[in-house]
Amino acid sequence: MEKRYLISGGGTGGHIFPALAIANKIKAENPDAKILFIGASDKMEMRRVPEAGYPIEGLEIYGIHRDFSPNGLLCNLRLPVVMLKAMRKAKKIICEFKPDLAIGVGGFASGPALKAAAQLGVPTLLQEQNSYPGVTNKMLAKNAKAICVAYDGLDRFFPPEKIVKTGNPIRKEILELERKRPEAYQYFNFTPEKKTVLVVGGSLGARTFNQTMAAHLDEFRKADLQLLWQTGESFYKNIDPKLLEQQDEHIRIVPFIKNMNDAYSMADVIVSRAGALALAELTLVGAPTILVPFPYAAEDHQTFNAKALSTKDAALLVTDKEAPEKLMPTLLQLAADPDRMTTLGANIKRFAQPDAIDLIYKEIEKLA
């Protein structure tokens, strides 16, 4: 019998990529399945989902504004009306599509979409990526049939009987990653004889990383290390030409890294933000990692994510505020301490959950 699945969420890659991984797994197991996405009409899922080959419907929806500007306050006053309109459209979509199951991955659109599905009697499943759940999933938990999580301790927020620890779904190429692959060094024209540091602040880059690395590049060079530094497109467009002139055979400054599996393969030390998707990949890579959480993430969830690892000696934590002074000394000290690198690498790998997508699909099939 043909099964129909509604998947909703997005706003950032941290929500979209798990949603696409779930969709791909459903299709792999059940090629006849029908899948429809619901996203926020002005967010990146409206482009990414069709690129991946799935249909998507957009809702006019946004989240709570946390600033106190006149525009932010006005948007918050309008939010209940916006939510009601989004709910009406979501119900119309659901009535026409008739899903057997609705899956929410977090993000603006999943609130009205999953709430509408529950009101229409469609069973719902939530996938929570973070160690501190967002407002949307906390609101939807009451009516969910199952909640797939990646961290322990979420019974503080969700009904314990609904929680299933699965981990976060990972891209296939990361699951099949081969560490220290010779072709990876060849691609970046690096040598395996030197330790390689990977600095990556997500697809958009991280201003704190960029400013810190730019200010301390001479110190880094003296440490006799190789550097692969992803700046993000916007920073790279406006980068000081003198900075680019400092590149040599051991320092690469790039706007974006397309083949992250090769970058991960040769990385001896990694500096990263602490988004849930990044951490899921980093636990599989197993390289010693310094986490600098993005301080303005919703509910400060990146700090909670980072602490879940740092308190278990599985990563080092440097706050965004501390980074200009502490990040480079911490990085150089770690790179010069092989025993500390080995300990952190072994400990972070203990958090890896390579079978996450299989466990999530098992819960999906139970409900569908």
Side-chain angles (χ1 to χ4, degrees), residues 322-344:
E322 295 171 333
E325 291 185 4
K326 289 189 177 182
L327 178 56
M328 188 58 71
T330 302
L331 169 58
L332 297 179
Q333 185 178 3
L334 175 60
D337 189 341
D339 291 339
R340 189 75 181 112
M341 288 174 64
T342 299
T343 298
L344 287 172

mmCIF file of all heavy atoms in Angstrom, residues 322-344:
data_model
loop_
_atom_site.group_PDB
_atom_site.id
_atom_site.type_symbol
_atom_site.label_atom_id
_atom_site.label_comp_id
_atom_site.label_asym_id
_atom_site.label_seq_id
_atom_site.Cartn_x
_atom_site.Cartn_y
_atom_site.Cartn_z
ATOM 1 N N GLU A 322 35.232 34.986 24.446
ATOM 2 C CA GLU A 322 36.624 34.722 24.804
ATOM 3 C C GLU A 322 37.521 34.492 23.587
ATOM 4 O O GLU A 322 38.743 34.615 23.676
ATOM 5 C CB GLU A 322 36.717 33.467 25.684
ATOM 6 C CG GLU A 322 36.051 33.562 27.035
ATOM 7 C CD GLU A 322 36.010 32.214 27.738
ATOM 8 O OE1 GLU A 322 36.012 31.165 27.045
ATOM 9 O OE2 GLU A 322 35.961 32.205 28.980
ATOM 10 N N ALA A 323 36.902 34.149 22.461
ATOM 11 C CA ALA A 323 37.656 33.664 21.300
ATOM 12 C C ALA A 323 38.782 34.595 20.832
ATOM 13 O O ALA A 323 39.880 34.113 20.532
ATOM 14 C CB ALA A 323 36.700 33.371 20.148
ATOM 15 N N PRO A 324 38.582 35.926 20.740
ATOM 16 C CA PRO A 324 39.672 36.773 20.240
ATOM 17 C C PRO A 324 40.973 36.623 21.027
ATOM 18 O O PRO A 324 42.067 36.730 20.456
ATOM 19 C CB PRO A 324 39.099 38.184 20.377
ATOM 20 C CG PRO A 324 37.625 37.990 20.231
ATOM 21 C CD PRO A 324 37.331 36.694 20.939
ATOM 22 N N GLU A 325 40.888 36.361 22.330
ATOM 23 C CA GLU A 325 42.089 36.222 23.150
ATOM 24 C C GLU A 325 42.484 34.766 23.375
ATOM 25 O O GLU A 325 43.671 34.436 23.433
ATOM 26 C CB GLU A 325 41.883 36.900 24.511
ATOM 27 C CG GLU A 325 41.795 38.422 24.444
ATOM 28 C CD GLU A 325 41.710 39.047 25.822
ATOM 29 O OE1 GLU A 325 41.790 38.297 26.823
ATOM 30 O OE2 GLU A 325 41.536 40.280 25.894
ATOM 31 N N LYS A 326 41.503 33.865 23.499
ATOM 32 C CA LYS A 326 41.801 32.500 23.942
ATOM 33 C C LYS A 326 41.855 31.456 22.836
ATOM 34 O O LYS A 326 42.457 30.396 23.014
ATOM 35 C CB LYS A 326 40.757 32.051 24.988
ATOM 36 C CG LYS A 326 40.881 32.746 26.318
ATOM 37 C CD LYS A 326 39.957 32.096 27.355
ATOM 38 C CE LYS A 326 40.132 32.740 28.723
ATOM 39 N NZ LYS A 326 39.258 32.074 29.729
ATOM 40 N N LEU A 327 41.187 31.708 21.695
ATOM 41 C CA LEU A 327 41.089 30.657 20.682
ATOM 42 C C LEU A 327 42.453 30.249 20.143
ATOM 43 O O LEU A 327 42.790 29.061 20.093
ATOM 44 C CB LEU A 327 40.179 31.097 19.537
ATOM 45 C CG LEU A 327 40.027 30.085 18.384
ATOM 46 C CD1 LEU A 327 39.534 28.734 18.898
ATOM 47 C CD2 LEU A 327 39.085 30.627 17.311
ATOM 48 N N MET A 328 43.275 31.207 19.736
ATOM 49 C CA MET A 328 44.565 30.857 19.140
ATOM 50 C C MET A 328 45.503 30.190 20.142
ATOM 51 O O MET A 328 46.111 29.151 19.817
ATOM 52 C CB MET A 328 45.215 32.089 18.515
ATOM 53 C CG MET A 328 46.465 31.763 17.715
ATOM 54 S SD MET A 328 46.203 30.592 16.358
ATOM 55 C CE MET A 328 45.270 31.609 15.209
ATOM 56 N N PRO A 329 45.660 30.702 21.374
ATOM 57 C CA PRO A 329 46.512 29.980 22.344
ATOM 58 C C PRO A 329 46.013 28.568 22.624
ATOM 59 O O PRO A 329 46.814 27.637 22.740
ATOM 60 C CB PRO A 329 46.433 30.853 23.600
ATOM 61 C CG PRO A 329 46.069 32.204 23.110
ATOM 62 C CD PRO A 329 45.198 31.991 21.916
ATOM 63 N N THR A 330 44.696 28.407 22.727
ATOM 64 C CA THR A 330 44.122 27.081 22.969
ATOM 65 C C THR A 330 44.415 26.141 21.807
ATOM 66 O O THR A 330 44.789 24.979 21.997
ATOM 67 C CB THR A 330 42.594 27.177 23.180
ATOM 68 O OG1 THR A 330 42.323 28.047 24.284
ATOM 69 C CG2 THR A 330 41.982 25.807 23.460
ATOM 70 N N LEU A 331 44.272 26.651 20.588
ATOM 71 C CA LEU A 331 44.520 25.862 19.382
ATOM 72 C C LEU A 331 45.993 25.437 19.296
ATOM 73 O O LEU A 331 46.298 24.255 19.062
ATOM 74 C CB LEU A 331 44.134 26.687 18.154
ATOM 75 C CG LEU A 331 44.540 26.162 16.766
ATOM 76 C CD1 LEU A 331 43.960 24.786 16.523
ATOM 77 C CD2 LEU A 331 44.084 27.144 15.686
ATOM 78 N N LEU A 332 46.912 26.380 19.502
ATOM 79 C CA LEU A 332 48.337 26.071 19.388
ATOM 80 C C LEU A 332 48.796 25.123 20.492
ATOM 81 O O LEU A 332 49.616 24.220 20.260
ATOM 82 C CB LEU A 332 49.157 27.360 19.414
ATOM 83 C CG LEU A 332 48.899 28.329 18.252
ATOM 84 C CD1 LEU A 332 49.756 29.581 18.393
ATOM 85 C CD2 LEU A 332 49.148 27.658 16.906
ATOM 86 N N GLN A 333 48.252 25.302 21.685
ATOM 87 C CA GLN A 333 48.607 24.416 22.798
ATOM 88 C C GLN A 333 48.120 22.995 22.531
ATOM 89 O O GLN A 333 48.838 22.019 22.781
ATOM 90 C CB GLN A 333 48.002 24.948 24.099
ATOM 91 C CG GLN A 333 48.406 24.162 25.332
ATOM 92 C CD GLN A 333 47.828 24.748 26.610
ATOM 93 O OE1 GLN A 333 47.062 25.719 26.570
ATOM 94 N NE2 GLN A 333 48.184 24.193 27.748
ATOM 95 N N LEU A 334 46.909 22.871 22.016
ATOM 96 C CA LEU A 334 46.363 21.546 21.718
ATOM 97 C C LEU A 334 47.175 20.858 20.621
ATOM 98 O O LEU A 334 47.518 19.672 20.738
ATOM 99 C CB LEU A 334 44.899 21.670 21.298
ATOM 100 C CG LEU A 334 44.204 20.380 20.845
ATOM 101 C CD1 LEU A 334 44.215 19.343 21.972
ATOM 102 C CD2 LEU A 334 42.765 20.670 20.407
ATOM 103 N N ALA A 335 47.473 21.593 19.543
ATOM 104 C CA ALA A 335 48.207 21.010 18.418
ATOM 105 C C ALA A 335 49.604 20.547 18.815
ATOM 106 O O ALA A 335 50.190 19.689 18.147
ATOM 107 C CB ALA A 335 48.286 22.015 17.274
ATOM 108 N N ALA A 336 50.141 21.092 19.916
ATOM 109 C CA ALA A 336 51.488 20.727 20.378
ATOM 110 C C ALA A 336 51.460 19.632 21.434
ATOM 111 O O ALA A 336 52.510 19.284 21.990
ATOM 112 C CB ALA A 336 52.188 21.971 20.931
ATOM 113 N N ASP A 337 50.291 19.095 21.720
ATOM 114 C CA ASP A 337 50.136 18.096 22.796
ATOM 115 C C ASP A 337 49.499 16.825 22.230
ATOM 116 O O ASP A 337 48.271 16.656 22.269
ATOM 117 C CB ASP A 337 49.263 18.685 23.903
ATOM 118 C CG ASP A 337 49.227 17.826 25.161
ATOM 119 O OD1 ASP A 337 49.571 16.619 25.066
ATOM 120 O OD2 ASP A 337 48.823 18.329 26.219
ATOM 121 N N PRO A 338 50.298 15.891 21.722
ATOM 122 C CA PRO A 338 49.753 14.680 21.092
ATOM 123 C C PRO A 338 48.878 13.839 22.031
ATOM 124 O O PRO A 338 47.875 13.276 21.589
ATOM 125 C CB PRO A 338 51.010 13.903 20.676
ATOM 126 C CG PRO A 338 52.092 14.925 20.603
ATOM 127 C CD PRO A 338 51.762 15.947 21.635
ATOM 128 N N ASP A 339 49.259 13.757 23.298
ATOM 129 C CA ASP A 339 48.465 12.958 24.246
ATOM 130 C C ASP A 339 47.074 13.554 24.432
ATOM 131 O O ASP A 339 46.075 12.825 24.477
ATOM 132 C CB ASP A 339 49.180 12.869 25.600
ATOM 133 C CG ASP A 339 50.446 12.034 25.533
ATOM 134 O OD1 ASP A 339 50.554 11.213 24.597
ATOM 135 O OD2 ASP A 339 51.320 12.205 26.402
ATOM 136 N N ARG A 340 47.015 14.882 24.550
ATOM 137 C CA ARG A 340 45.710 15.558 24.717
ATOM 138 C C ARG A 340 44.869 15.380 23.452
ATOM 139 O O ARG A 340 43.660 15.164 23.526
ATOM 140 C CB ARG A 340 45.934 17.047 24.983
ATOM 141 C CG ARG A 340 44.680 17.810 25.384
ATOM 142 C CD ARG A 340 44.320 17.488 26.824
ATOM 143 N NE ARG A 340 43.099 18.189 27.227
ATOM 144 C CZ ARG A 340 41.955 17.574 27.489
ATOM 145 N NH1 ARG A 340 41.843 16.264 27.372
ATOM 146 N NH2 ARG A 340 40.903 18.267 27.870
ATOM 147 N N MET A 341 45.494 15.461 22.297
ATOM 148 C CA MET A 341 44.782 15.257 21.039
ATOM 149 C C MET A 341 44.190 13.850 20.970
ATOM 150 O O MET A 341 43.030 13.671 20.567
ATOM 151 C CB MET A 341 45.730 15.495 19.860
ATOM 152 C CG MET A 341 46.109 16.945 19.637
ATOM 153 S SD MET A 341 47.362 17.128 18.325
ATOM 154 C CE MET A 341 46.439 16.515 16.908
ATOM 155 N N THR A 342 44.974 12.867 21.373
ATOM 156 C CA THR A 342 44.498 11.479 21.335
ATOM 157 C C THR A 342 43.306 11.282 22.266
ATOM 158 O O THR A 342 42.314 10.631 21.903
ATOM 159 C CB THR A 342 45.639 10.524 21.735
ATOM 160 O OG1 THR A 342 46.707 10.668 20.802
ATOM 161 C CG2 THR A 342 45.164 9.077 21.727
ATOM 162 N N THR A 343 43.373 11.857 23.464
ATOM 163 C CA THR A 343 42.282 11.726 24.437
ATOM 164 C C THR A 343 40.995 12.359 23.920
ATOM 165 O O THR A 343 39.925 11.743 23.966
ATOM 166 C CB THR A 343 42.677 12.379 25.775
ATOM 167 O OG1 THR A 343 43.823 11.703 26.309
ATOM 168 C CG2 THR A 343 41.535 12.298 26.784
ATOM 169 N N LEU A 344 41.093 13.585 23.425
ATOM 170 C CA LEU A 344 39.895 14.270 22.926
ATOM 171 C C LEU A 344 39.309 13.541 21.715
ATOM 172 O O LEU A 344 38.089 13.399 21.604
ATOM 173 C CB LEU A 344 40.240 15.710 22.545
ATOM 174 C CG LEU A 344 40.489 16.680 23.696
ATOM 175 C CD1 LEU A 344 41.018 18.009 23.168
ATOM 176 C CD2 LEU A 344 39.223 16.909 24.510
#
